[in-house]
Amino acid sequence: MQIPHTSATILCCKCGADIDGTTSAGALCNDCVKLTVDISEGIQREATLHSCRDCERWLQPPHQWITAAPESRELLALCLRKLRALSRVRIIDASFIWTEPHSKRIKVKITLQQEAFEGTILQQTFEVEYIVASQQCPDCAKSFTANTWRAVVQVRQKVPHKRTFLYLEQLILKHSAHKDTINIKETKDGLDFFYSQRNHAEKFVDFLTSVAPVRTKKSQELISMDIHTSSKSYKFTFSVELVPICKDDLVCLPIKLAKQAGNIAPLTLCYRVGTSINLLDPNTLQTSDISTPIYWRSPFSGLADVRELVEFIVMDIEPTGVQKGRFFLAEATVARASDLGTNDITYFTRTHLGGVLHPGDSVMGYHLTGTNFNNPQFEALEQSNAHSSTIPDVILVKKHYERKKKKARNWRLKRMNKDEGEMLSRKQEQTRMEEDYEEFMRNVEEDEELRSTIALYKAKQAKKVRDQMEGVETASTAETEETEADDVPKINMDELQDEFEDLGMEDDP
């Protein structure tokens, strides 16, 4: 006969309820254990977080500033680190409780688990409220103080226009290479980028080296020195010089260099500037690349730039059937637009624009006949027995489109927020910069390869919508402005990105 086993029971010392005496913890029932034992004792219910208003970073004691989005994992980890005595308990769950964004309060619900007595594990949930206090970080404090930079990158190009810097600006914006700068200042021949740390400047120099043919030079200046600890403070200056050759420039290579570069004709056109200089012989469609080390080993300047282009009218053109990439070789007869109705002088030339030119079109080119160039490479070319007879009368560069004076485009570009200083003090300088910017915008429309390397955004239609809401009827384009030709290049909406607001950028004027 088996005797049934019965467990010994005792009464709870708090409420008197029957409990198992063999497994009871401190002679307390489960309900009394929850009411009596507080596993979150010693953990504060309020704390303070410090945030910078300018850069929206958070202070992680003692001196580190981190970036954390609202209700992100990074911010939650920062909130938990602020609580003392949290390491002796086990955290089961932690989550944010929604608060008003302007309340400067952050609430976190935390679930803990800990063994209260032997064999008894207790779980508890409580809330912690954080007060967000404003504190300016050292980086922002330096940015609002003059002469606090530690490194500067001086980008220079000795050319009479700003088209290269406009393109370089778009590359910088697309890759966010300017995010660590504390100030950008515009100078006569380029831009100055100021940084608070040396490694940020070196990173920017590496970016410039990867997108353009440049030559760099580094120098440093001693600011202060502690004779007791031998610690020194320096300011670093990085000088970056771009090659003085731009797209559509007429280039006369040294004869020796032309032979080394695939035996190309010395008189060439620059059709692209990337990490190297890409040259084209319009007579044969032969191309050649001049790398950065080879150029700076024996530098040379361009023979003529786009400011010296002359408008010609195509009288006749005959394709030869030779094609290389997007270039089509053709034989053309052209006349200067200013000579029409005055004389019957025409010029015969070979061109790479056979795929886009037709009789009656306008084309921009360099008029070499009767033009004097102060260039030692061109003088050597004229005196050469092998190449003097190959100099053409005209070299055609690009097709010319009749445009409106002020065209309303459906796209726009972002601009960097620069300190222009005294650059716009003279009306002449401002007019020249506006002309360079308009010429760059036209090049973006005409060159599909150029558009693929930069970011284009949809133009704002806010003003037009506002006028319609106010009852203002705007006249049609045909009534207010001249009508453009049908073959003027236009950018499709598929190539445009939706606009967004970003710090450090501003819309183009």
Side-chain angles (χ1 to χ4, degrees), residues 277-296:
I277 305 173
N278 304 119
L279 302 177
L280 167 71
D281 180 11
N283 292 320
T284 61
L285 299 186
Q286 183 181 355
T287 59
S288 179
D289 297 342
I290 306 297
S291 62
T292 304
I294 293 178
Y295 174 82
W296 290 114

Side-chain angles (χ1 to χ4, degrees), residues 82-149:
K82 294 288 290 185
L83 302 179
R84 298 187 298 269
L86 200 61
S87 58
R88 59 182 176 82
V89 295
R90 181 183 179 186
I91 301 176
I92 300 300
D93 187 27
S95 60
F96 287 99
I97 300 176
W98 186 87
T99 56
E100 292 286 347
H102 62 274
S103 64
K104 294 292 184 179
R105 297 291 188 274
I106 296 177
K107 291 185 178 181
V108 178
K109 183 173 68 173
I110 304 175
T111 302
L112 304 179
Q113 194 178 82
Q114 188 183 18
E115 186 177 10
F117 299 98
E118 184 178 357
T120 302
I121 298 177
L122 193 63
Q123 183 171 312
Q124 186 176 348
T125 301
F126 63 97
E127 296 180 3
V128 180
E129 182 176 353
Y130 297 87
I131 301 174
V132 180
S134 299
Q135 179 178 337
Q136 194 175 42
C137 66
D139 294 338
C140 292
K142 288 182 179 180
S143 65
F144 287 99
T145 307
N147 302 323
T148 59
W149 54 272

Side-chain angles (χ1 to χ4, degrees), residues 245 251-268 277 279 288 290 294-295 297-303 375-382 384 387:
I245 297 176
V251 179
C252 185
L253 295 173
I255 298 178
K256 181 179 179 181
L257 180 60
K259 292 181 180 179
Q260 296 174 351
N263 200 23
I264 193 173
L267 201 59
T268 58
I277 305 173
L279 302 177
S288 179
I290 306 297
I294 293 178
Y295 174 82
R297 194 179 304 159
S298 57
F300 54 89
S301 58
L303 187 62
N375 187 281
Q377 288 83 20
F378 189 73
E379 293 177 0
L381 184 65
E382 290 180 323
S384 173
H387 300 284

Side-chain angles (χ1 to χ4, degrees), residues 401-460:
Y401 300 93
E402 293 294 335
R403 301 173 182 265
K404 305 170 187 176
K405 292 183 179 180
K406 291 185 178 181
K407 178 185 176 182
R409 295 181 170 90
N410 64 340
W411 59 277
R412 62 188 178 92
L413 299 172
K414 291 287 187 178
R415 301 297 304 275
M416 287 190 304
N417 190 10
K418 301 185 292 289
D419 181 11
E420 296 175 344
E422 300 179 356
M423 288 300 298
L424 297 180
S425 57
R426 293 188 301 173
K427 186 177 181 180
Q428 182 180 1
E429 287 287 338
Q430 185 175 1
T431 304
R432 183 176 64 85
M433 293 178 68
E434 290 177 355
E435 292 176 354
D436 290 340
Y437 188 73
E438 177 63 24
E439 184 65 26
F440 175 72
M441 299 279 275
R442 294 181 179 182
N443 289 338
V444 172
E445 291 177 335
E446 297 172 6
D447 194 344
E448 185 177 355
E449 184 179 358
L450 177 63
R451 292 200 301 270
S452 62
T453 59
I454 62 178
L456 305 178
Y457 299 92
K458 297 177 182 178
K460 290 184 177 180

Side-chain angles (χ1 to χ4, degrees), residues 284-486:
T284 61
L285 299 186
Q286 183 181 355
T287 59
S288 179
D289 297 342
I290 306 297
S291 62
T292 304
I294 293 178
Y295 174 82
W296 290 114
R297 194 179 304 159
S298 57
F300 54 89
S301 58
L303 187 62
D305 56 26
V306 292
R307 294 178 178 269
E308 303 175 35
L309 289 174
V310 180
E311 183 179 358
F312 293 89
I313 303 298
V314 180
M315 311 303 293
D316 186 23
I317 186 168
E318 184 69 27
T320 61
V322 180
Q323 177 186 358
K324 188 172 184 180
R326 57 190 176 96
F327 303 124
F328 294 83
L329 187 62
E331 297 177 347
T333 302
V334 298
R336 292 184 58 175
S338 58
D339 292 344
L340 294 181
T342 305
N343 53 54
D344 298 332
I345 300 178
T346 58
Y347 304 95
F348 177 80
T349 184
R350 305 187 80 181
T351 178
H352 61 289
L353 303 175
V356 295
L357 292 183
H358 304 88
D361 289 346
S362 297
V363 61
M364 305 300 291
Y366 294 106
H367 191 198
L368 304 183
T369 302
T371 305
N372 294 323
F373 296 102
N374 186 14
N375 187 281
Q377 288 83 20
F378 189 73
E379 293 177 0
L381 184 65
E382 290 180 323
Q383 297 173 2
S384 173
N385 296 328
H387 300 284
S388 60
S389 60
T390 61
I391 301 176
D393 297 330
V394 173
I395 294 182
L396 304 181
V397 178
K398 59 181 180 180
K399 186 177 179 179
H400 178 64
Y401 300 93
E402 293 294 335
R403 301 173 182 265
K404 305 170 187 176
K405 292 183 179 180
K406 291 185 178 181
K407 178 185 176 182
R409 295 181 170 90
N410 64 340
W411 59 277
R412 62 188 178 92
L413 299 172
K414 291 287 187 178
R415 301 297 304 275
M416 287 190 304
N417 190 10
K418 301 185 292 289
D419 181 11
E420 296 175 344
E422 300 179 356
M423 288 300 298
L424 297 180
S425 57
R426 293 188 301 173
K427 186 177 181 180
Q428 182 180 1
E429 287 287 338
Q430 185 175 1
T431 304
R432 183 176 64 85
M433 293 178 68
E434 290 177 355
E435 292 176 354
D436 290 340
Y437 188 73
E438 177 63 24
E439 184 65 26
F440 175 72
M441 299 279 275
R442 294 181 179 182
N443 289 338
V444 172
E445 291 177 335
E446 297 172 6
D447 194 344
E448 185 177 355
E449 184 179 358
L450 177 63
R451 292 200 301 270
S452 62
T453 59
I454 62 178
L456 305 178
Y457 299 92
K458 297 177 182 178
K460 290 184 177 180
Q461 301 294 335
K463 185 177 185 301
K464 181 179 179 181
V465 174
R466 183 171 63 251
D467 291 342
Q468 293 177 354
M469 293 177 62
E470 294 175 355
V472 180
E473 295 184 0
T474 56
S476 63
T477 305
E479 296 175 356
T480 56
E481 297 178 345
E482 300 175 1
T483 305
E484 283 189 340
D486 295 336

